[in-house]
C-alpha cells in the first residue's frame, strides 16, 4: 500500500526579521510534510513561531528562505492572483480572533468568501445555510454576528473557513479565547468536520486535549521542530 500523498511540504523553511542591526530568527531549516487526510497539531510556547508558520503555509506571508509546496507546486512561485485563489479556495483559515463582520448576519459572513470567489448567490446562500447547520447555528443564521456569544462567533468563523470547500484547514489557537466548556465543543466540531469534509488540518494550539486528538504533534521550540506520533484510540 502506498503512503498517503503529502498535500503540504515544507523544505528548509526560514523566517528571519530585522530589528535595526539585529536579526531575529523565528525558525530556520524547518522541513516536514503533511499527508492528505491528516490532523496535525502544532504546539509550542507563545512566541515560538506557530502563527508565523501557519501564515507561510497559507501564503499570507513569504519566507526568508526555503519553500512551501501545495500538491507539489511551489507556493512561493505563485503569481499574485494565484496566491489569492490559493488562500480563498484551497485553504480555510480559522483565526483565534474570528475577524467576522459584526454588522453582517452569520449567513452573510459565510456567504462572503464564496461570493468573492465568484459563486452564484443562491448556491452560496445554500452552502452557508448548510454549514451553519453543521456547526449548530441553523436557527441563528439571520442574527448579526455582533449579537452572538464568543463560542457562537467561533462556530460562524469555522463555517466560513469551510465555505469554499478547502482541501486544507489551518487553525491558529481556535480555542484560545474560549472557556473550557465552549472550547470542548469547538474541539469536537473541529474533529468531526475534519472527518466529514475529508480535510487535511494543521491546528496550532496550547490545548492539550485538542493536540492529543491529532494524528501527529509537531513541537516548535527555539526554532527547531520535533515530532510525536499519537497512538490511535481503540
Amino acid at each position: 500500500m502506498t503512503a498517503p500523498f503529502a498535500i503540504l511540504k515544507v523544505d528548509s523553511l526560514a523566517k528571519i526579521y530585522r530589528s535595526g542591526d539585529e536579526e531575529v530568527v523565528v525558525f530556520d531549516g524547518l522541513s516536514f510534510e503533511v499527508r492528505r487526510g491528516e490532523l496535525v497539531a502544532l504546539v509550542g510556547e507563545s512566541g515560538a513561531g506557530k502563527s508565523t508558520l501557519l501564515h507561510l503555509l497559507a501564503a499570507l506571508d513569504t519566507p526568508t528562505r526555503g519553500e512551501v509546496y501545495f500538491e507539489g507546486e511551489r507556493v512561493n512561485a505563485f503569481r499574485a492572483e494565484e496566491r489569492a485563489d490559493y488562500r480563498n479556495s484551497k485553504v480555510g483559515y480559522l483565526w483565534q480572533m474570528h475577524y467576522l463582520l459584526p454588522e453582517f448576519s452569520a449567513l452573510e459572513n459565510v456567504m462572503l468568501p464564496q461570493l468573492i470567489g465568484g459563486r452564484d448567490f443562491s448556491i452560496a446562500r445554500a452552502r452557508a445555510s448548510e454549514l451553519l447547520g453543521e456547526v449548530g447555528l441553523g436557527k441563528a443564521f439571520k442574527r448579526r454576528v455582533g449579537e452572538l456569544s464568543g463560542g457562537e462567533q467561533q462556530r460562524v468563523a469555522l463555517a466560513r473557513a469551510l465555505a469554499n470547500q478547502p482541501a486544507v484547514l489551518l487553525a491558529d489557537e481556535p480555542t484560545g479565547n474560549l472557556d473550557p466548556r465552549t472550547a470542548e465543543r469547538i474541539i469536537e466540531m473541529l474533529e468531526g468536520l475534519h472527518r466529514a469534509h475529508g480535510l487535511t488540518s494543521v491546528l496550532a494550539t496550547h490545548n492539550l486535549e485538542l493536540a492529543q486528538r491529532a494524528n501527529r504533534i509537531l513541537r516548535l521550540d527555539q526554532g527547531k521542530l520535533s515530532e510525536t506520533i499519537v497512538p490511535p484510540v481503540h
Side-chain angles (χ1 to χ4, degrees):
M1 182 180 294
T2 59
F5 178 73
I7 190 169
L8 287 173
K9 181 179 178 180
V10 169
D11 185 20
S12 303
L13 200 67
K15 188 63 181 180
I16 302 170
Y17 295 100
R18 290 196 176 275
S19 179
D21 294 331
E22 185 182 356
E23 280 191 345
V24 179
V25 180
V26 182
F27 45 72
D28 195 359
L30 298 190
S31 297
F32 65 93
E33 295 182 350
V34 179
R35 294 177 285 278
R36 190 181 300 279
E38 274 195 304
L39 175 61
V40 175
L42 178 62
V43 303
E45 299 296 327
S46 295
K50 301 187 300 297
S51 295
T52 300
L53 180 54
L54 288 186
H55 291 171
L56 296 175
L57 294 178
L60 293 166
D61 196 1
T62 54
T64 306
R65 291 189 294 270
E67 300 290 347
V68 174
Y69 296 89
F70 173 76
E71 294 186 333
E73 295 187 79
R74 289 179 59 226
V75 172
N76 300 347
F78 288 171
R79 299 188 300 273
E81 60 271 22
E82 291 173 324
R83 290 171 70 87
D85 179 67
Y86 171 70
R87 288 191 295 261
N88 195 49
S89 64
K90 305 299 183 183
V91 175
Y93 205 102
L94 183 61
W95 309 79
Q96 181 176 354
M97 298 297 295
H98 52 72
Y99 296 114
L100 298 166
L101 299 175
E103 70 278 12
F104 282 36
S105 71
L107 186 73
E108 290 166 336
N109 270 275
V110 182
M111 289 177 64
L112 191 57
Q114 301 178 72
L115 298 176
I116 290 172
R119 186 168 286 174
D120 179 80
F121 184 91
S122 61
I123 296 175
R125 182 182 175 86
R127 170 73 176 167
S129 180
E130 177 184 357
L131 285 169
L132 288 169
E134 286 191 58
V135 298
L137 292 175
K139 295 181 179 179
F141 68 92
K142 291 184 179 179
R143 292 175 60 191
R144 290 184 180 181
V145 163
E147 301 171 351
L148 300 176
S149 70
E152 289 170 332
Q153 290 173 344
Q154 193 66 327
R155 283 188 271 158
V156 175
L158 178 54
R160 180 188 59 183
L162 301 180
N164 282 329
Q165 297 165 297
V168 173
L169 175 66
L170 304 176
D172 192 356
E173 297 289 358
T175 63
N177 289 332
L178 304 175
D179 64 81
R181 184 175 179 180
T182 305
E184 168 63 22
R185 188 168 186 184
I186 294 296
I187 289 170
E188 291 177 354
M189 284 185 178
L190 281 166
E191 187 177 30
L193 291 167
H194 168 83
R195 293 175 177 172
H197 290 261
L199 296 167
T200 302
S201 303
V202 182
L203 315 178
T205 184
H206 281 99
N207 190 303
L208 293 179
E209 182 180 350
L210 177 54
Q212 289 296 328
R213 298 196 185 199
N215 303 117
R216 287 188 295 148
I217 299 174
L218 299 178
R219 179 174 295 278
L220 194 54
D221 182 33
Q222 297 183 346
K224 303 301 179 183
L225 207 61
S226 59
E227 177 180 340
T228 302
I229 306 297
V230 180
V233 177
H234 297 290

